[in-house]
Amino acid sequence: AQIDDEPAVVPTIAATGMVQGSRYRVERVSDGSEVISGVADVTGAFSFLYTPEDTPLMLRLRVRKGTAAPYYKPYEVQFYMTSTGASIPVSQLSDD
């Protein structure tokens, strides 16, 4: 007999509302180590399956569009990651 010891739910980090072309980074608050990073596409969203064994913990999402016009101010939020996941709405402000 084989026993499969996998979690019933795999937590997902999801963010929506980013401006296309914005760079994003999710990192651990405790040590600043990167979890995921990338550039927002036309949907302005991303999702990432996270390791359930590493929850709960505090994470930080940083978003910035500052390399090409139109520019946006940095957006940063900390969130608590649990085994059920986290969904983060992003609201970027123009940097006129």
Side-chain angles (χ1 to χ4, degrees), residues 19 64-74 92-96:
V19 174
R64 174 76 169 133
K65 184 171 184 301
T67 57
Y71 302 104
Y72 286 80
K73 294 180 180 180
Q92 293 176 264
L93 298 174
S94 178
D95 192 7
D96 294 354

Side-chain angles (χ1 to χ4, degrees), residues 2-7:
Q2 180 180 355
I3 297 174
D4 198 3
D5 188 23
E6 294 189 24

Side-chain angles (χ1 to χ4, degrees), residues 15-19 22 44 61-65 72-77 88-95:
T16 57
M18 294 182 292
V19 174
S22 295
L61 169 64
R62 294 180 176 191
V63 181
R64 174 76 169 133
K65 184 171 184 301
Y72 286 80
K73 294 180 180 180
Y75 178 86
E76 182 175 312
V77 64
I88 304 110
V90 174
S91 180
Q92 293 176 264
L93 298 174
S94 178
D95 192 7

Side-chain angles (χ1 to χ4, degrees), residues 25-61:
R25 174 184 165 100
V26 176
E27 60 189 34
R28 289 179 181 84
V29 171
S30 62
D31 61 7
S33 62
E34 181 179 300
V35 173
I36 185 175
S37 63
V39 178
D41 63 13
V42 68
T43 67
F46 77 87
S47 64
F48 176 74
L49 296 177
Y50 194 75
T51 307
E53 293 83 14
D54 199 22
T55 61
L57 78 156
M58 287 297 294
L59 296 175
R60 177 183 299 117
L61 169 64

